[in-house]
Amino acid sequence: LLPVRTSAAVNEDIEVLVILPKNNSYIFSLARVTPAIEYARQKLKIPGGLYSGLNFNMRYEDSGCGNDALFSLVDRSCEKKPDLVLGPVCEYAAAPVVRMASHWNIPVISAGALASGYRDKDKEYTHLTRISPSYLKMAETFAAMFHHFNWKEALLIFDDDKEERNCYFTVEGVHIKLMDQYHISPVVINSKDEHVNADDLIKLIYESEVVIMCAGADIVRDIMLAAHRRRLTNGSYIFFNIELFNNTSYGNGSWKRGDKYDNEARQAYSALNTVTLLRTVKPEFENFSLEVKRSIQKAGLPDCENCDNINMFVEGFHDALVLYALALHEAIRNGFTKKDGAEITNRMWNRTFEGIAGQVSLDFYGDRYGDFSVMSMTNPEAGTYETVCNYFGVNESFQMLPGFNPEHFTLKGRHRITHTDLPD
Amino acid sequence: LLPVRTSAAVNEDIEVLVILPKNNSYIFSLARVTPAIEYARQKLKIPGGLYSGLNFNMRYEDSGCGNDALFSLVDRSCEKKPDLVLGPVCEYAAAPVVRMASHWNIPVISAGALASGYRDKDKEYTHLTRISPSYLKMAETFAAMFHHFNWKEALLIFDDDKEERNCYFTVEGVHIKLMDQYHISPVVINSKDEHVNADDLIKLIYESEVVIMCAGADIVRDIMLAAHRRRLTNGSYIFFNIELFNNTSYGNGSWKRGDKYDNEARQAYSALNTVTLLRTVKPEFENFSLEVKRSIQKAGLPDCENCDNINMFVEGFHDALVLYALALHEAIRNGFTKKDGAEITNRMWNRTFEGIAGQVSLDFYGDRYGDFSVMSMTNPEAGTYETVCNYFGVNESFQMLPGFNPEHFTLKGRHRITHTDLPD
């Protein structure tokens, strides 16, 4: 006997408003992300598929990186409200948009809005799903290391531009995650407005054990050089640089500049570890990556090895549309409509699904679990780095890789007694 | 020969959206402010008057004290946008409303939005007129005193509830105004979440000269008692309490509690000065005050001496409608329309007009100049206070009153040599 087949296809028109910056200096600009969203849209429409009846009408609007995002939402929504908002990424752009959309019962999915404030899903950001790991998720990597290696004190050095404030929000996550159990000293610099004196910063290191930096590559290098000259890179302190995406806010782990300090810097960097996103790929990802790159080239944007055209944001917004399709389809089949934003949002949370680069798991509050890598210099002569361990957020586990050397993460006593020759 | 008379009356319907909290625990709630606005509206309509052709259609909406204010604006404006917004007062309610209204070219006049961030009229808050003196204007009083009395160091103690943050924003104004020329140490307490230990705070006073407090009456008393017990009230330090409106965020200058510390507190408070708003009245004010009180009673709200029913906000919103009428009338007679929000806003700035309680002067950036009073204890036996000097913002001048004693504001050397008896 053949099983009874129920037609699972659901027909629905969905208005999607994508709010991202037009300015291509952002790695999550409209032109860079659009091809990924269109890729997902085409895939969902494959005839006979579960989601082929979902007809997504896309509208792309400039968010800028600040208040303009709200204006875009409101001015486009007065007549007819969208059913789904994708974006914004910038912290100050996202906050009012998410509040307004939540008030209107519209789901918002962003691959940004990574700041810790967005975890308040009870009152303010009720309809926000974060498809990329937030700064708090990243900070779990540090919490796990502090626990594992028994560190007690951290100095957080961060460069705050007082505008987009990527490093401020990055380090805020670490601060919140560590503050209850460890002694944390935050130190703010502002390289945009004032000269940063690495020697002055170094003086603050003495009181700490672990130095966690979020700053541009040149400042990180200055600090490491200053630390090395004062012999602080001998194992009495552990240094970290946070580098989340290929973005000038963050360092890039490279000591090489072609100047006279390269040799010194290479030595200094042997004490520096980098925490970065763990990126995975799977066979399907190749095709996605090729197609997106092709579209980006077609749009006249530069394609290169370092400009990171296929980044966390691009992947995230692809996965956002897929996740929404899953949840909407499920909601409709359970008697709800596309206007039941809270219901659809709820069905996106506490769920695992197959994203373009691998499995994507969202926690109970609709925030994606994150996987992060720690990189260290494994060949001090050549000055080359490799990943020495990975942290998997979904089960809070560490994976040590062959290059991992526990000695490197063990604090050497700073007041160790100097051995003097014993008397004959 | 009779002069040619031009008909100055202008006929126009104006949609006004008033956004204030419905909750009557705020001294600027809808029910408290509405009678003052209606009073102004009736007065403007007097037949034959210059503004009798202006027909104000009022709409009153709940702002809450946070994000709801924006929702009220947007939800009421999608079909038909207002021509004028009055309010919000709360800092976090006002910011998104002013941004949105500015984007829509709608003038906003508030008797609140006192935080320093709102002075950015170039980009973010282009259409905001502040009809009450902001915290920065209040801070000028301190700047003038620091200059006049040659003080150098200030300790700013403020109670930050992390919600409405009245004291945070109050003290922020002082900080900004003094930071370039003096040494400022801010100290934050949070009496809502944790016990405040006055003795711990006192320890910080030693390094300073002038202590400026913004906190509830009980905390100010605890600090003054602790300071008195350590003999810090003998003239080596100058103490200030900021008390802007009758609001529980601020102290009320009263040492009396009916407990066993009253006598000690009275002595301690002889070293405490209070900075507060200078309030003026004129004959017409009496009628206004009576009418507003009558309406408030009719609405079933308590009327009493201490609950400050006729406060800066109530006066301010009255004057706001008058000022708008002046500017709109002028703009229309010059060929503009009510939809030229930037033009009307501009005509409200850098202008002096007659408000309900006296002259109101707005500076070049549309922020009202402020007049403030300093009160000191002039009868230590009775423990009574009086105003000893006034600060007038419009010409940055001080007026010393009979009770003023320059000794009281002169720092006595703290390391003065003790006089010992001379040998015979």
Side-chain angles (χ1 to χ4, degrees):
Chain A
L1 217 75
L2 285 170
V4 179
R5 290 188 61 193
T6 56
S7 162
V10 155
N11 293 306
E12 189 64 83
D13 281 316
I14 303 119
E15 306 297 320
V16 183
L17 180 63
V18 182
I19 312 187
L20 290 169
K22 208 163 179 179
N23 182 338
N24 282 314
S25 69
Y26 295 101
I27 60 171
F28 44 81
S29 71
L30 277 173
R32 294 179 196 281
V33 171
T34 301
I37 296 176
E38 291 296 328
Y39 185 95
R41 195 175 152 213
Q42 295 310 321
K43 227 180 46 185
L44 289 166
K45 277 215 80 66
I46 287 173
L50 211 51
Y51 311 111
S52 59
L54 299 181
N55 184 32
F56 291 101
N57 299 318
M58 313 301 294
R59 179 155 196 163
Y60 294 90
E61 291 285 344
D62 186 9
S63 68
C65 195
N67 299 322
D68 287 352
L70 175 69
F71 307 152
S72 287
L73 171 67
V74 171
D75 290 340
R76 296 307 155 263
S77 305
C78 268
E79 277 181 50
K80 189 180 183 182
K81 293 195 173 55
D83 304 309
L84 167 67
V85 173
L86 296 181
V89 165
C90 293
E91 308 300 335
Y92 289 108
V97 165
V98 177
R99 286 185 201 123
M100 196 77 231
S102 298
H103 168 70
W104 282 338
N105 197 18
I106 301 171
V108 183
I109 314 176
S110 179
L114 304 174
S116 305
Y118 291 109
R119 81 193 140 152
D120 175 14
K121 304 282 180 82
D122 282 342
K123 280 188 281 176
E124 271 197 276
Y125 307 109
T126 52
H127 286 54
L128 174 64
T129 299
R130 298 197 283 181
I131 196 78
S132 296
S134 72
Y135 294 132
L136 273 175
K137 298 291 187 198
M138 180 275 296
E140 288 176 7
T141 313
F142 283 104
M145 284 193 283
F146 267 70
H147 178 76
H148 191 268
F149 297 112
N150 204 25
W151 305 328
K152 299 284 181 225
E153 316 253 344
L155 182 74
L156 309 180
I157 301 175
F158 62 102
D159 196 353
D160 186 2
D161 65 0
K162 306 272 181 193
E163 274 186 33
E164 297 174 22
R165 311 190 78 178
N166 287 323
C167 275
Y168 170 84
F169 288 117
T170 302
V171 164
E172 182 196 32
V174 178
H175 198 170
I176 291 173
K177 209 78 201 174
L178 298 182
M179 64 192 285
D180 287 341
Q181 287 188 272
Y182 308 99
H183 185 257
I184 312 295
S185 311
V187 179
V188 59
I189 56 176
N190 180 349
S191 68
K192 207 182 61 181
D193 294 345
E194 60 207 31
H195 173 73
V196 175
N197 188 326
D199 276 318
D200 285 350
L201 289 172
I202 284 305
K203 287 177 196 143
L204 304 166
I205 294 180
Y206 289 99
E207 296 296 305
S208 74
E209 291 175 348
V210 179
V211 180
I212 301 173
M213 294 176 277
C214 184
D218 287 343
I219 292 187
V220 169
R221 190 171 182 257
D222 283 352
I223 294 171
M224 290 311 297
L225 280 170
H228 190 62
R229 284 168 195 151
R230 288 176 182 253
R231 302 182 198 289
L232 303 178
T233 52
N234 61 359
S236 312
Y237 302 90
I238 315 266
F239 292 86
F240 283 99
N241 173 29
I242 302 175
E243 187 209 332
L244 289 188
F245 354 94
N246 203 328
N247 184 312
T248 50
S249 306
Y250 300 100
N252 59 12
S254 106
W255 47 266
K256 209 171 198 153
R257 292 290 183 287
D259 64 13
K260 63 180 173 181
Y261 305 116
D262 268 0
N263 194 39
E264 225 179 327
R266 182 178 45 77
Q267 290 165 25
Y269 273 50
S270 71
L272 179 67
N273 311 288
T274 300
V275 166
T276 187
L277 281 163
L278 173 65
R279 300 288 295 278
T280 56
V281 286
K282 56 179 192 178
E284 196 202 335
F285 187 79
E286 284 309 308
N287 186 40
F288 167 74
S289 174
L290 275 173
E291 283 230 15
V292 170
K293 283 187 180 175
R294 204 175 296 145
S295 300
I296 287 175
Q297 276 175 326
K298 233 162 118 183
L301 291 170
D303 184 32
C304 48
E305 278 309 299
N306 292 324
C307 61
D308 206 10
N309 274 333
I310 315 298
N311 54 54
M312 174 184 93
F313 304 107
V314 170
E315 292 170 27
F317 283 109
H318 169 282
D319 293 351
L321 201 69
V322 173
L323 174 59
Y324 177 82
L326 295 179
L328 174 68
H329 183 264
E330 206 179 270
I332 291 176
R333 297 212 66 204
N334 280 279
F336 298 94
T337 79
K338 64 178 179 180
K339 291 297 174 197
D340 293 310
E343 176 65 31
I344 297 163
T345 298
N346 243 302
R347 286 174 187 270
M348 294 195 281
W349 296 6
N350 195 19
R351 157 160 225 161
T352 297
F353 71 102
E354 204 54 42
I356 192 67
Q359 268 197 352
V360 176
S361 288
L362 290 109
D363 71 10
F364 192 76
Y365 300 99
D367 290 340
R368 182 177 176 171
Y369 287 105
D371 301 332
F372 295 88
S373 295
V374 179
M375 300 179 76
S376 303
M377 195 182 277
T378 46
N379 182 341
E381 282 73 39
T384 51
Y385 271 76
E386 61 186 300
T387 300
V388 297
C389 68
N390 290 321
Y391 173 79
F392 298 99
V394 75
N395 51 13
E396 300 177 14
S397 69
F398 266 122
Q399 173 194 39
M400 309 301 181
L401 299 175
F404 179 78
N405 174 4
E407 267 288 291
H408 185 75
F409 294 95
T410 306
L411 280 167
K412 292 177 191 58
R414 275 162 286 170
H415 308 291
R416 216 193 289 174
I417 297 145
T418 314
H419 289 282
T420 49
D421 287 345
L422 289 168
D424 287 342
Chain B
L1 214 76
L2 287 170
V4 179
R5 288 189 64 194
T6 55
S7 161
V10 154
N11 293 306
E12 189 64 83
D13 282 315
I14 302 119
E15 307 297 321
V16 184
L17 180 64
V18 182
I19 312 187
L20 289 170
K22 209 165 180 176
N23 182 339
N24 282 315
S25 68
Y26 295 101
I27 60 171
F28 44 81
S29 71
L30 277 173
R32 294 180 194 282
V33 171
T34 302
I37 296 176
E38 290 297 327
Y39 185 95
R41 195 175 151 211
Q42 294 310 322
K43 228 180 44 185
L44 289 166
K45 276 215 81 65
I46 286 175
L50 211 51
Y51 311 111
S52 59
L54 299 181
N55 184 34
F56 292 101
N57 300 316
M58 313 301 294
R59 179 156 198 163
Y60 294 90
E61 290 286 343
D62 186 9
S63 68
C65 196
N67 299 322
D68 288 352
L70 175 70
F71 307 152
S72 286
L73 170 68
V74 171
D75 289 341
R76 297 306 157 262
S77 305
C78 267
E79 276 181 48
K80 189 180 184 184
K81 293 194 175 56
D83 303 310
L84 168 65
V85 173
L86 297 181
V89 165
C90 293
E91 308 300 336
Y92 289 108
V97 165
V98 177
R99 284 185 202 123
M100 195 77 230
S102 299
H103 168 70
W104 282 338
N105 196 19
I106 300 171
V108 183
I109 314 177
S110 180
L114 305 175
S116 305
Y118 291 109
R119 82 194 138 151
D120 176 14
K121 305 282 180 83
D122 282 342
K123 280 188 280 176
E124 271 197 278
Y125 307 109
T126 53
H127 286 53
L128 174 65
T129 300
R130 298 195 285 181
I131 196 78
S132 296
S134 71
Y135 295 131
L136 273 177
K137 298 290 187 199
M138 180 276 296
E140 288 176 7
T141 314
F142 284 104
M145 286 192 283
F146 268 72
H147 178 74
H148 191 269
F149 297 112
N150 205 24
W151 304 327
K152 300 281 179 228
E153 316 253 343
L155 182 73
L156 309 179
I157 302 177
F158 62 103
D159 197 353
D160 186 2
D161 65 359
K162 307 271 180 193
E163 273 186 33
E164 296 174 21
R165 311 190 79 177
N166 287 323
C167 276
Y168 170 84
F169 289 118
T170 302
V171 165
E172 182 195 32
V174 178
H175 197 169
I176 291 174
K177 209 78 200 174
L178 299 182
M179 64 192 282
D180 287 342
Q181 287 188 273
Y182 308 98
H183 186 256
I184 312 296
S185 312
V187 179
V188 59
I189 56 177
N190 180 348
S191 67
K192 207 182 62 183
D193 294 345
E194 60 207 30
H195 173 73
V196 175
N197 188 325
D199 277 319
D200 286 350
L201 290 172
I202 285 305
K203 288 176 196 146
L204 303 167
I205 294 181
Y206 289 100
E207 298 295 306
S208 74
E209 291 176 347
V210 179
V211 180
I212 301 172
M213 294 177 278
C214 184
D218 288 342
I219 291 185
V220 170
R221 190 171 183 258
D222 284 352
I223 293 172
M224 289 312 296
L225 280 171
H228 190 62
R229 285 167 195 154
R230 289 178 182 250
R231 303 181 196 287
L232 303 178
T233 53
N234 60 359
S236 312
Y237 303 90
I238 316 266
F239 292 85
F240 284 99
N241 173 29
I242 301 175
E243 185 207 335
L244 289 188
F245 352 96
N246 203 326
N247 184 311
T248 51
S249 304
Y250 300 101
N252 58 11
S254 107
W255 47 266
K256 210 172 198 149
R257 291 289 183 288
D259 63 13
K260 61 179 175 182
Y261 305 116
D262 268 359
N263 194 40
E264 223 179 328
R266 182 178 45 75
Q267 291 166 24
Y269 274 51
S270 71
L272 179 66
N273 311 288
T274 300
V275 167
T276 186
L277 280 165
L278 172 66
R279 300 287 295 277
T280 57
V281 286
K282 56 179 191 178
E284 196 204 333
F285 187 79
E286 283 310 308
N287 187 42
F288 167 74
S289 176
L290 275 173
E291 282 231 15
V292 170
K293 283 186 181 175
R294 203 174 297 144
S295 301
I296 286 175
Q297 277 174 327
K298 234 163 116 185
L301 290 171
D303 184 31
C304 47
E305 279 310 299
N306 293 324
C307 62
D308 206 9
N309 274 333
I310 315 297
N311 53 55
M312 172 184 94
F313 304 107
V314 170
E315 292 169 29
F317 283 109
H318 169 282
D319 293 351
L321 201 69
V322 173
L323 174 59
Y324 177 81
L326 295 179
L328 174 68
H329 182 265
E330 206 179 271
I332 291 176
R333 297 212 65 204
N334 281 278
F336 297 95
T337 78
K338 64 177 179 180
K339 290 297 174 198
D340 292 311
E343 177 64 31
I344 297 163
T345 298
N346 243 300
R347 285 172 187 271
M348 295 195 281
W349 296 7
N350 194 19
R351 157 161 226 159
T352 298
F353 71 103
E354 205 53 41
I356 193 66
Q359 268 198 352
V360 176
S361 288
L362 290 110
D363 72 9
F364 192 76
Y365 300 100
D367 289 341
R368 181 176 178 173
Y369 287 106
D371 301 332
F372 295 88
S373 295
V374 180
M375 302 179 75
S376 303
M377 194 181 279
T378 46
N379 182 339
E381 282 73 37
T384 52
Y385 271 76
E386 60 185 303
T387 300
V388 297
C389 68
N390 290 322
Y391 174 79
F392 298 99
V394 74
N395 53 12
E396 300 178 15
S397 69
F398 266 123
Q399 173 195 37
M400 307 303 182
L401 298 176
F404 179 78
N405 175 4
E407 267 289 291
H408 185 76
F409 294 96
T410 306
L411 280 168
K412 293 176 190 58
R414 274 161 287 170
H415 308 292
R416 218 192 288 173
I417 296 145
T418 314
H419 290 282
T420 49
D421 289 343
L422 290 170
D424 287 340

